[in-house]
Amino acid sequence: MKFKIALSFLVAAVFGWLSPSVQAQDLGPGFTKVKDGIYVYAPDATTTTCSFVVTQEGVVMIDSCNSPLASRNMLAAIKKVTDKPIVFLIDTEIHGDHTGNHFIFSPPATIINHEGAGAGMRKEYDPKRAEALASKSAELREAVKGEKMIVPQIEYKDKMTINLGERTFELIYLKNVHSDADTAIWLPKERVLFASSAANVRRFINLRPTVVIPDVLASLKLMKSLNPEVVVTGHGPAGTTKIFDEYEGYYTLLLKRVGEMAAQGKSLDEIKKELKMPEYADWHDQERLGANIDAAYKSVKK
Ligand SMILES: [Zn+2]
């Protein structure tokens, strides 16, 4: 009996180790297996999420993780699951917390994002980043070695389909939702959607001046219409389309309240002082409500 149990463990260990069905808990804290061969790495509730998808012809990564330490964890996790190379790395946005560690994966990975991604990255790149990280700890100094900006080798326009092995990845450009180039990645057979930072998980998002809330709402509607089973956003753990419902509710209410106050003749400053969103008091990053009101005010004043 004992021998049988030991043997089955051994068999499970050997096959588990070599196949894409390795359990996420074997990969370390923060890793979740959302479908066979599809792993999401969300270190915590708000840190940048990065993911990988194993195919018969190699690995496709989504985003390159925030800290180079997280990227090294990611690389180690991929190697535990498969010995196949990382063929593509698809960015969901251009910001450094998603793109700053391209150098850890490319080469061999070919990086892809929408038109404008490279220009946006060049504009935002901080040449002192590696130095700043290296000064934080010996571990980081090691992890950030070789740091340099690598912009996407491929920029698509509007839509792109990648067929790799048995899987299909549909890249969909989302306009004005977060950064200079935002991409949703849809796996139609698996019904898994990587939704970018058009939404996160119960968190106020830092809406930059280029973000247009009605465009965000349109993108949430579009993504929901794909009817995904699993939704992975740019930050936080994997979820479902409930994420889209929550953000749709939030932005709709925000627009309504800002619209009413503006109609009463209140200035942006007055609105920012008075407006509260108590329904969302438990969301992360409350200090970003001001930037959200800025964006809403711009939309209602149009
Ligand atoms: Zn971002």
Side-chain angles (χ1 to χ4, degrees):
M1 189 61 188
K2 260 184 188 163
F3 171 74
K4 250 190 187 168
I5 292 169
L7 186 69
S8 63
F9 266 111
L10 182 70
V11 169
V14 168
F15 280 91
W17 201 253
L18 294 172
S19 80
S21 58
V22 171
Q23 292 307 306
Q25 59 267 29
D26 302 333
L27 302 179
F31 281 90
T32 321
K33 186 167 100 171
V34 297
K35 288 263 166 142
D36 218 29
I38 306 180
Y39 298 85
V40 172
Y41 181 28
D44 58 41
T46 55
T47 297
T48 315
T49 300
C50 46
S51 308
F52 69 98
V53 181
V54 182
T55 81
Q56 290 158 355
E57 301 299 328
V59 173
V60 175
M61 270 183 71
I62 319 294
D63 290 331
S64 71
C65 319
N66 183 357
S67 157
L69 290 173
S71 302
R72 303 284 177 191
N73 287 345
M74 184 71 164
L75 198 57
I78 294 171
K79 283 189 178 152
K80 277 185 190 172
V81 173
T82 178
D83 53 8
K84 293 193 168 70
I86 304 165
V87 180
F88 296 116
L89 194 176
I90 308 167
D91 290 333
T92 63
E93 61 170 89
I94 68 134
H95 295 151
D97 58 322
H98 296 252
T99 62
N101 302 320
H102 282 166
F103 72 97
I104 293 175
F105 307 101
S106 179
T110 297
I111 303 160
I112 307 172
N113 194 0
H114 191 264
E115 191 177 71
M121 281 180 64
R122 284 191 187 93
K123 214 166 53 193
E124 298 215 354
Y125 181 67
D126 172 11
K128 292 241 158 76
R129 175 177 180 258
E131 208 182 300
L133 284 171
S135 72
K136 283 187 182 168
S137 71
E139 225 184 347
L140 264 167
R141 190 179 320 129
E142 193 57 34
V144 81
K145 263 187 190 158
E147 195 271 354
K148 60 176 171 178
M149 178 178 57
I150 300 182
V151 299
Q153 291 92 359
I154 296 177
E155 292 191 353
Y156 71 96
K157 204 169 155 70
D158 297 329
K159 270 178 195 261
M160 179 183 196
T161 302
I162 296 173
N163 296 301
L164 189 68
E166 74 283 30
R167 300 203 200 254
T168 298
F169 302 79
E170 292 176 7
L171 281 56
I172 307 161
Y173 172 55
L174 303 176
K175 196 175 160 219
N176 300 335
V177 302
H178 181 70
S179 76
D180 288 0
D182 300 309
T183 295
I185 299 125
W186 171 229
L187 279 69
K189 278 179 286 198
E190 299 82 352
R191 310 208 71 74
V192 175
L193 176 69
F194 296 92
S196 85
S197 284
N200 285 169
V201 181
R202 300 177 74 75
R203 177 192 198 211
F204 290 96
I205 299 174
N206 183 17
L207 302 182
R208 307 211 179 186
T210 55
V211 173
V212 179
I213 292 178
D215 289 348
V216 176
L217 285 167
S219 82
L220 299 177
K221 202 172 166 190
L222 170 91
M223 291 193 284
K224 206 181 156 182
S225 76
L226 298 169
N227 194 24
E229 258 175 55
V230 180
V231 174
V232 183
T233 69
H235 294 253
T240 64
T241 55
K242 190 170 167 255
I243 289 171
F244 299 143
D245 296 337
E246 286 172 349
Y247 276 88
E248 194 187 350
Y250 165 66
Y251 285 127
T252 305
L253 188 59
L254 180 70
L255 285 176
K256 181 175 175 275
R257 288 191 179 148
V258 172
E260 283 167 0
M261 292 169 96
Q264 290 161 12
K266 289 188 170 145
S267 72
L268 176 58
D269 278 348
E270 286 170 325
I271 296 172
K272 276 176 145 173
K273 266 188 211 121
E274 288 173 30
L275 179 58
K276 301 276 180 291
M277 298 293 279
E279 300 85 350
Y280 300 90
D282 62 341
W283 279 25
H284 299 278
D285 298 311
Q286 292 281 326
E287 74 284 359
R288 293 171 168 176
L289 178 59
N292 283 218
I293 294 172
D294 283 334
Y297 188 79
K298 239 186 333 188
S299 291
V300 303
K301 277 297 198 183
K302 253 184 195 164

